[in-house]
Amino acid sequence: MSNPGTPLGLLLWQKIRSLNTRSIMGVPGDMNLELLDYINEVDGMSWVGNANELNAAYAADAYCRVSGSPGVLVTTMGVGELSAINGIAGSYTEQVKVIHIVGTTSRTAMEKHLMIHHCLGPSPDHKVYEKTSQHVRAAHCWLDNPATAAREIDRVIHECYAQSLPVYIFIPSDMVRLRVPDQPSTGLDLAPRTDKFSRESAISVTLPLLYNAKAPAVIVDGLTARHLGSDVTRELVDLLQFPTYSTSIGKGIIDETKPYFCGIYNGQVSIPGVCEAVEQQSDLVLDLGPLLSDSNTGGHTRSIAEHKLIQVHPHHVSVRGVAYRNIGLVEFLSTLLKSVDESRLPRLTAPGRSPLPPAKDADSDSITQSWIWTRFGEFCKPGDILIADSGTAQFGLPDAHLPQGATFLTQLYYGSIGYSVPACLGAAIVYREQQREGRVILVVGDGSLQLTVQEIGTMVKLGLKNIIIVVINNNGYTIERVIHGPEEAYNDIAVWNHSAMLEFFGAKNGRACTREVRTKKEFDEVASLPEYQRPTSIQVLEVFMDKMDVPWRLQRQIEIINERNAQA
Amino acid sequence: MSNPGTPLGLLLWQKIRSLNTRSIMGVPGDMNLELLDYINEVDGMSWVGNANELNAAYAADAYCRVSGSPGVLVTTMGVGELSAINGIAGSYTEQVKVIHIVGTTSRTAMEKHLMIHHCLGPSPDHKVYEKTSQHVRAAHCWLDNPATAAREIDRVIHECYAQSLPVYIFIPSDMVRLRVPDQPSTGLDLAPRTDKFSRESAISVTLPLLYNAKAPAVIVDGLTARHLGSDVTRELVDLLQFPTYSTSIGKGIIDETKPYFCGIYNGQVSIPGVCEAVEQQSDLVLDLGPLLSDSNTGGHTRSIAEHKLIQVHPHHVSVRGVAYRNIGLVEFLSTLLKSVDESRLPRLTAPGRSPLPPAKDADSDSITQSWIWTRFGEFCKPGDILIADSGTAQFGLPDAHLPQGATFLTQLYYGSIGYSVPACLGAAIVYREQQREGRVILVVGDGSLQLTVQEIGTMVKLGLKNIIIVVINNNGYTIERVIHGPEEAYNDIAVWNHSAMLEFFGAKNGRACTREVRTKKEFDEVASLPEYQRPTSIQVLEVFMDKMDVPWRLQRQIEIINERNAQA
């Protein structure tokens, strides 16, 4: 062959760069160092270097959610690979595109079953760890054959996009520098395969339902964003002008300042009137990208009659109980958008957003759960992203009214505590890459913070500036206290001195950029400071709150579950 | 049945308490909270509460290594379970007894495939995560049947001991309070099953070899300790008085002050004279508990002729190439100890420990790799434990001369960076439980520290006092720099301000207990301080060293591997 080819390591990064992924997460290790060498050879691509692999996986997940391009992380066989797997499982559950590249031992070492560090037991099978991730990935490949390696990369990237799920690429260390034949640059095939007949059938039954509806409603749920349908969804709801609801997971996909936006629908855990409007008063519900997990459905209390429901799933559409298979979500919504005859749509006046019932503790000087979450909404500006960890923030922030162009990021179904800190890093990296205006605002409990705190060091290392870290200090695992064992020691945590946090992680003027507030007045004062309005370095705000105070949504969901358990 | 029985949760803890495990690692979650309630009901048992689950797994691993009783951790299905799996894989590889208890959803939720938080995808199989750990455990059970639950616990505990490997216990949340029939208190069957005939055969061929040897040697390797053979090994080498070597992994099992102790045997990566003495000059080598991984064998450069080798493995004995199956290590060594006729043993004068060749940089004022590791040996006192992370410490501390009763703990085969910080916690907990005199001395690089640093907060929370944390600050991943990419940015790390570390994690007087040293003189001054001789609170010592300076053992092993790769 006259073609000298491209080193496989370089080819891999070139393919990933073509997806617009520019920052690579991960932790270096002797089995991946040579692969990392090639990152610098690709224009516009750079290595992040996380504090640990779980954090790298979380950051990659958020990178994808915010940028739309796959998050990519590099780890080392076994030790790094397994450290990251919980993050990958979260991406799988929530359908996030992540490419996990694992640097492994050489092919020779594998064949000889050598007891190399990181291997498993005596006479080790060096491929054994690959089996560990088989349930949390859509596809994987071993780049151990120069003849097929390039095709294999394309295959798994296709599956990553088509299924919007994580994939694994295993690369033996001796393969990295090997030159493989260049591929014809036809581009990668990324879209899920759609059955046109099925799509046309679904469209043809959907249109008259839209035209003839008297009280239609739209629910925008999280999987629209995961399957890259945010833009088309925004266009569609703008065209329809039907009363439109988000879910907790879907919050922030559509513009909450529009008159047709009517708040968060979360089954019986909704602001009074919302559940009734969707379930009883509507005659047609267009449910986009539903993810029907417990906390996104008020503890499984959604109840929409099948005869009025059109559900647009990632790979099929269900119209009044009839399933139309093999239709990609974006392709369906795009076709629908083009097919709708605007003049035939019903003209409606949406009721708009219902107010929250007044809180009993509304006159408290101290910061309360009933006050803070809507206050965060007021604090937000267009372009900001609000990131919530598991815990009270996740149940509180659905009440924040987001300005136009602000977004919300949380991991509500998988619900792995600690996710949000590396997610904040991933989001901030995308903001910098894309030179986006806006602040990255992390809201994390003192308990959740402890799992992944070291990623703040990576934020400092990278010189990221537009980050505000709000630590809700309610003295331990409040969400668990209200579930079980309010005064049990297992719901306590180590008491950290957050005023030294930024300084420890190497931030210049770390102390000066760290504040604490206990009253609403103090919060308002800090929130109006220039460094909070337009941060030029990372800010930490510790918000002290009562350890038994919880958002009403959390309280209500727990009541529902307890009632159900009592009946069983 | 008239017997009202015992709540399953309580029974589980009672069984674990009977193994002398007293501290339970883990992170609380809504699926395990009720199980945690029962910990307090068992006398002498307490909950630790780690900062995250990987750390909990590492701490449980070290708890077992130091106490001999299984390390136990509790996590939550999926999110916690997977976060911990890398620690469990390390325990598997290095044959450490760990019991991983996973609190799961209720049996009803499983049957209905409910999309509960932490589950995987749509219509989730709640048992799917169990498959993830199948390659890193010896056994597992689901406590989902009241009739068999007690027997199932016994079965997995037996396998945990017999194989000295991790096991998993999955307990659905609705099973915890259920009363199950009390078991007859016959005690648990813990020993591996031994074939008496096989054992007698092996003993009968071993004894004459011992009696007739002219130049015998003993190697004490790590699996003797993992399989609870430390005590009998010490007695045996004391009786034999043969020249005796440790390995890097086996270091600290036997008393290094004995005249028969001749240093660390690590193939061609040994102090001059050692390799020749073992491989050429000996005519019989009794190799106890071998773990023949790369860094424990000088990069696979051990070469001991089969005809002079007796290997005592965990479950079989190999005498000059003939395998005697189904013999437990402790049972074999105990029988051997009882069977040896001391008067028939050859009387030898061991050569003792060879000195290290003088280092080229011996006259440096700065702290060097050639100086610090033996200095740590001098710093150690009887009863101390030295804990080394992956990196230079792991390759340097084999040169430390340990005083009698001091021990060494590292994870050399699996080699997961960050292991040592939670391991330090686990060791310190055992020291407190057993009211042991002695200091817990952690030596961790600035790179390794970043992966698991938050566990220092748990040390502070528990009020542990006898801990000295030595941070080797050589400005990044030095071990990787010498392998590949010495000046590449991927081998840099975030630059933390370690002087604020203890303060951040809530230690009183954290600043006053933190020091930094750059010269040998400064190190000596700090090492002689009363708070270092007998710490009454956690001390942090940051030792600055050159980023390209490495221990000779690491340098030599890399040379060997590079020579081998160049030939291939």
Side-chain angles (χ1 to χ4, degrees):
Chain A
M1 199 182 324
S2 61
N3 184 340
T6 306
L8 180 58
L10 179 58
L11 185 70
L12 176 58
W13 294 127
Q14 286 169 342
K15 286 177 182 289
I16 285 169
R17 182 67 184 87
S18 77
L19 309 171
N20 282 321
T21 297
R22 294 174 54 182
S23 294
I24 309 300
M25 313 292 169
V27 176
D30 58 339
M31 296 171 193
N32 66 36
L33 295 177
E34 293 191 52
L35 181 62
L36 304 189
D37 283 343
Y38 287 110
I39 292 177
N40 289 335
E41 295 190 22
V42 179
D43 196 40
M45 191 167 238
S46 62
W47 172 247
V48 169
N50 298 86
N52 68 38
E53 293 90 351
L54 176 57
N55 293 3
Y58 286 153
D61 176 294
Y63 183 93
C64 173
R65 290 180 195 239
V66 180
S67 74
S69 296
V72 177
L73 73 156
V74 181
T75 67
T76 297
M77 184 185 87
V79 288
E81 176 185 357
L82 296 186
S83 292
I85 195 171
N86 183 56
I88 304 297
S91 302
Y92 188 92
T93 293
E94 303 223 341
Q95 305 189 26
V96 180
K97 290 173 270 297
V98 170
I99 302 173
H100 184 177
I101 300 169
V102 183
T104 76
T105 48
S106 69
R107 289 171 298 169
T108 313
M110 288 184 191
E111 281 159 20
K112 293 184 177 171
H113 292 261
L114 289 181
M115 285 175 75
I116 305 280
H117 53 289
H118 311 329
C119 284
L120 198 68
S123 188
D125 170 7
H126 292 211
K127 290 189 168 181
V128 68
Y129 300 116
E130 179 247 283
K131 297 171 191 162
T132 309
S133 50
Q134 62 184 309
H135 299 285
V136 295
R137 68 185 182 219
H140 78 287
C141 65
W142 279 91
L143 301 184
D144 51 7
N145 180 349
T148 61
R151 271 204 311 278
E152 283 291 277
I153 298 170
D154 290 355
R155 178 179 65 79
V156 301
I157 288 176
H158 168 77
E159 293 300 328
C160 178
Y161 270 82
Q163 300 191 47
S164 195
L165 290 175
V167 295
Y168 275 65
I169 295 175
F170 297 91
I171 179 162
S173 53
D174 63 315
M175 285 291 297
V176 172
R177 289 164 173 275
L178 223 67
R179 286 178 185 273
V180 298
D182 278 340
Q183 276 197 302
S185 55
T186 49
L188 287 159
D189 171 24
L190 299 177
R193 310 209 196 293
T194 281
D195 178 332
K196 281 186 190 171
F197 179 77
S198 183
R199 184 194 66 199
E200 292 313 315
S201 306
I203 294 283
S204 70
V205 295
T206 298
L207 286 173
L209 292 172
L210 296 182
Y211 299 150
N212 297 326
K214 295 203 166 50
V218 182
I219 302 167
V220 178
D221 208 343
L223 293 187
T224 52
R226 302 287 75 75
H227 290 264
L228 302 175
S230 295
D231 288 343
V232 68
T233 297
R234 277 190 287 265
E235 281 187 76
L236 183 67
V237 298
D238 233 25
L239 177 74
L240 295 177
Q241 300 272 330
F242 293 170
T244 303
Y245 301 82
S246 285
T247 63
S248 292
I249 293 179
K251 184 178 176 67
I253 295 173
I254 56 166
D255 181 355
E256 298 194 354
T257 66
K258 296 281 185 182
Y260 53 77
F261 181 67
C262 301
I264 305 291
Y265 166 62
N266 192 31
Q268 291 174 23
V269 185
S270 303
I271 291 176
V274 167
C275 187
E276 296 71 16
V278 173
E279 298 183 1
Q280 269 107 61
Q281 292 151 22
S282 73
D283 62 354
L284 180 75
V285 177
L286 187 59
D287 190 13
L288 307 181
L291 201 169
L292 304 178
S293 72
D294 53 355
S295 300
N296 203 38
T297 59
H300 301 298
T301 56
R302 272 174 64 139
S303 175
I304 305 174
E306 193 176 71
H307 73 268
K308 56 185 178 186
L309 191 59
I310 302 174
Q311 286 190 308
V312 183
H313 294 282
H315 305 292
H316 75 280
V317 176
S318 170
V319 183
R320 304 174 80 180
V322 178
Y324 297 81
R325 305 274 164 207
N326 301 318
I327 311 174
L329 179 139
V330 168
E331 185 151 344
F332 179 79
L333 295 182
S334 306
T335 312
L336 188 62
L337 186 67
K338 280 181 280 187
S339 313
V340 166
D341 177 352
E342 201 177 341
S343 68
R344 298 178 63 187
L345 289 172
R347 292 279 153 224
L348 302 153
T349 306
R353 202 159 175 159
S354 306
L356 270 169
K360 284 181 190 155
D361 56 4
D363 59 351
S364 161
D365 291 334
S366 304
I367 296 168
T368 59
Q369 295 274 344
S370 68
W371 179 83
I372 194 161
W373 308 114
T374 51
R375 184 66 186 82
F376 272 118
E378 293 159 23
F379 179 64
C380 262
K381 293 189 287 190
D384 288 351
I385 182 166
L386 260 177
I387 302 171
D389 211 305
S390 294
T392 56
Q394 222 165 32
F395 288 86
L397 281 173
D399 286 335
H401 291 215
L402 295 183
Q404 187 183 27
T407 50
F408 178 59
L409 196 170
T410 196
Q411 193 203 50
L412 191 64
Y413 181 18
Y414 196 55
S416 187
I417 61 166
Y419 165 81
S420 72
V421 180
C424 175
L425 171 74
I429 287 171
V430 176
Y431 267 59
R432 183 158 79 176
E433 279 180 4
Q434 303 185 349
Q435 298 178 296
R436 281 199 210 176
E437 293 288 315
R439 301 165 297 177
V440 179
I441 304 165
L442 166 65
V443 185
V444 57
D446 54 343
S448 299
L449 175 69
Q450 301 205 345
L451 285 91
T452 52
V453 68
Q454 52 269 82
E455 220 53 40
I456 295 172
T458 312
M459 300 175 198
V460 173
K461 177 180 83 168
L462 298 184
L464 297 167
K465 298 181 195 312
N466 58 336
I467 295 173
I468 297 172
I469 299 173
V470 180
V471 180
I472 303 291
N473 188 332
N474 45 15
N475 199 10
Y477 301 119
T478 289
I479 189 168
E480 290 180 7
R481 292 190 201 280
V482 293
I483 294 173
H484 190 81
E487 297 297 336
E488 293 293 336
Y490 53 66
N491 284 327
D492 296 338
I493 57 172
V495 180
W496 290 2
N497 179 354
H498 298 107
S499 66
M501 182 165 74
L502 275 184
E503 183 185 14
F504 171 45
F505 289 122
K508 278 175 194 152
N509 300 316
R511 295 259 170 188
C513 297
T514 305
R515 290 176 176 81
E516 55 184 58
V517 293
R518 286 176 170 76
T519 64
K520 295 172 183 172
K521 186 160 167 287
E522 287 168 349
F523 184 96
D524 288 343
E525 281 165 9
V526 169
S528 65
L529 292 171
E531 54 266 48
Y532 274 72
Q533 289 298 312
R534 212 173 174 77
T536 54
S537 61
I538 301 170
Q539 303 292 320
V540 168
L541 179 62
E542 187 171 13
V543 178
F544 287 87
M545 292 172 73
D546 186 82
K547 76 174 181 179
M548 290 306 296
D549 191 15
V550 292
W552 68 271
R553 288 179 188 274
L554 176 57
Q555 191 63 53
R556 182 73 193 108
Q557 186 171 319
I558 290 170
E559 285 164 9
I560 286 171
I561 292 165
N562 288 347
E563 286 161 19
R564 191 183 296 149
N565 289 344
Q567 284 166 8
Chain B
M1 199 182 321
S2 61
N3 186 339
T6 306
L8 180 58
L10 179 58
L11 186 70
L12 175 59
W13 294 127
Q14 286 169 341
K15 286 178 182 287
I16 284 170
R17 183 68 184 88
S18 77
L19 309 171
N20 281 321
T21 297
R22 293 173 53 183
S23 293
I24 308 301
M25 312 292 170
V27 176
D30 58 337
M31 297 172 192
N32 66 37
L33 295 176
E34 293 192 52
L35 180 61
L36 304 188
D37 283 342
Y38 286 109
I39 292 178
N40 289 335
E41 295 191 22
V42 179
D43 197 40
M45 191 165 239
S46 61
W47 172 247
V48 169
N50 299 87
N52 68 36
E53 293 90 352
L54 176 57
N55 292 3
Y58 286 154
D61 176 294
Y63 183 94
C64 173
R65 291 180 194 240
V66 179
S67 73
S69 296
V72 177
L73 73 155
V74 180
T75 67
T76 296
M77 185 185 87
V79 288
E81 176 185 357
L82 296 186
S83 292
I85 194 173
N86 183 56
I88 303 297
S91 303
Y92 189 93
T93 294
E94 304 223 340
Q95 305 188 25
V96 180
K97 291 174 269 298
V98 170
I99 302 173
H100 185 177
I101 300 169
V102 182
T104 75
T105 48
S106 69
R107 290 172 295 171
T108 312
M110 290 186 190
E111 282 159 22
K112 293 183 179 171
H113 292 262
L114 289 181
M115 285 177 75
I116 304 281
H117 54 287
H118 312 330
C119 284
L120 199 67
S123 188
D125 170 7
H126 292 212
K127 290 189 169 181
V128 68
Y129 301 115
E130 179 248 281
K131 297 171 190 160
T132 308
S133 51
Q134 63 183 308
H135 299 285
V136 296
R137 67 184 184 220
H140 78 288
C141 65
W142 279 91
L143 301 184
D144 52 7
N145 180 349
T148 61
R151 273 205 310 278
E152 283 291 278
I153 298 170
D154 290 356
R155 178 178 66 78
V156 301
I157 289 177
H158 168 78
E159 293 301 327
C160 177
Y161 270 82
Q163 301 190 47
S164 194
L165 290 175
V167 295
Y168 275 65
I169 295 175
F170 297 90
I171 178 162
S173 54
D174 63 314
M175 285 290 298
V176 171
R177 290 164 171 273
L178 222 68
R179 287 179 183 270
V180 298
D182 280 338
Q183 278 197 301
S185 55
T186 50
L188 287 158
D189 171 23
L190 299 178
R193 311 211 197 290
T194 282
D195 176 333
K196 281 188 188 169
F197 179 77
S198 182
R199 184 194 67 200
E200 291 313 316
S201 305
I203 293 284
S204 70
V205 293
T206 298
L207 285 172
L209 292 172
L210 296 182
Y211 298 149
N212 296 327
K214 295 204 165 47
V218 182
I219 302 167
V220 178
D221 208 343
L223 294 187
T224 52
R226 301 287 76 75
H227 289 263
L228 302 176
S230 294
D231 288 343
V232 67
T233 296
R234 278 190 286 266
E235 281 187 78
L236 183 67
V237 298
D238 232 26
L239 177 74
L240 295 176
Q241 299 272 330
F242 294 170
T244 303
Y245 302 82
S246 284
T247 62
S248 292
I249 293 180
K251 182 176 178 69
I253 295 174
I254 57 167
D255 181 356
E256 298 194 353
T257 67
K258 295 283 185 180
Y260 54 77
F261 181 68
C262 300
I264 305 292
Y265 166 61
N266 192 30
Q268 290 171 26
V269 185
S270 302
I271 290 176
V274 167
C275 187
E276 297 72 14
V278 173
E279 298 182 2
Q280 270 106 61
Q281 293 151 24
S282 73
D283 62 355
L284 181 76
V285 177
L286 188 59
D287 190 12
L288 308 181
L291 199 168
L292 304 179
S293 73
D294 53 356
S295 299
N296 202 37
T297 60
H300 301 299
T301 58
R302 274 174 64 144
S303 175
I304 304 174
E306 193 177 69
H307 72 266
K308 56 185 178 187
L309 191 59
I310 301 174
Q311 286 189 308
V312 183
H313 294 282
H315 305 292
H316 74 281
V317 176
S318 169
V319 183
R320 304 172 81 180
V322 178
Y324 298 82
R325 304 276 164 206
N326 302 317
I327 312 176
L329 179 140
V330 168
E331 183 149 346
F332 179 78
L333 295 181
S334 306
T335 311
L336 188 62
L337 186 68
K338 280 179 280 187
S339 312
V340 166
D341 178 349
E342 198 177 343
S343 69
R344 297 178 65 188
L345 289 171
R347 290 280 151 223
L348 302 152
T349 305
R353 200 159 176 159
S354 306
L356 270 171
K360 284 177 191 158
D361 58 2
D363 59 352
S364 160
D365 290 335
S366 303
I367 295 168
T368 60
Q369 294 275 343
S370 69
W371 179 82
I372 193 161
W373 308 116
T374 51
R375 184 66 186 81
F376 271 118
E378 294 159 21
F379 178 65
C380 263
K381 294 190 285 192
D384 288 351
I385 183 165
L386 259 177
I387 301 170
D389 211 304
S390 294
T392 57
Q394 220 165 32
F395 288 86
L397 281 173
D399 286 335
H401 293 215
L402 294 183
Q404 188 184 27
T407 50
F408 179 57
L409 195 171
T410 195
Q411 194 203 51
L412 192 63
Y413 181 19
Y414 195 56
S416 188
I417 62 167
Y419 166 80
S420 72
V421 179
C424 175
L425 171 74
I429 288 172
V430 176
Y431 268 58
R432 182 159 80 176
E433 278 180 3
Q434 301 184 349
Q435 297 177 299
R436 283 200 208 174
E437 292 290 315
R439 301 165 296 178
V440 179
I441 303 165
L442 166 65
V443 185
V444 58
D446 53 345
S448 299
L449 175 68
Q450 301 204 347
L451 286 91
T452 52
V453 67
Q454 53 270 80
E455 220 51 41
I456 294 172
T458 312
M459 300 175 198
V460 173
K461 178 180 81 168
L462 297 184
L464 297 167
K465 297 180 195 311
N466 57 337
I467 294 173
I468 297 172
I469 300 172
V470 181
V471 180
I472 303 292
N473 187 333
N474 44 16
N475 199 10
Y477 301 119
T478 289
I479 190 168
E480 292 180 6
R481 293 190 200 280
V482 295
I483 294 173
H484 189 81
E487 298 296 337
E488 293 294 336
Y490 53 66
N491 285 326
D492 296 337
I493 57 171
V495 180
W496 290 1
N497 179 355
H498 297 107
S499 67
M501 183 167 72
L502 276 184
E503 183 185 14
F504 171 45
F505 290 121
K508 277 175 193 150
N509 301 316
R511 295 261 169 185
C513 297
T514 305
R515 291 176 176 80
E516 55 183 57
V517 294
R518 285 173 171 77
T519 65
K520 295 172 182 172
K521 187 159 166 288
E522 288 169 349
F523 184 97
D524 288 343
E525 282 166 8
V526 170
S528 65
L529 292 170
E531 53 266 48
Y532 274 73
Q533 290 297 311
R534 211 175 176 79
T536 54
S537 60
I538 301 170
Q539 303 292 318
V540 168
L541 179 62
E542 187 171 14
V543 178
F544 286 87
M545 293 172 71
D546 186 81
K547 76 173 180 179
M548 289 306 296
D549 191 14
V550 292
W552 68 272
R553 290 180 187 274
L554 175 57
Q555 190 63 54
R556 182 75 193 106
Q557 185 171 321
I558 291 170
E559 285 163 10
I560 287 171
I561 291 165
N562 288 347
E563 286 160 19
R564 191 183 295 148
N565 288 346
Q567 284 167 7

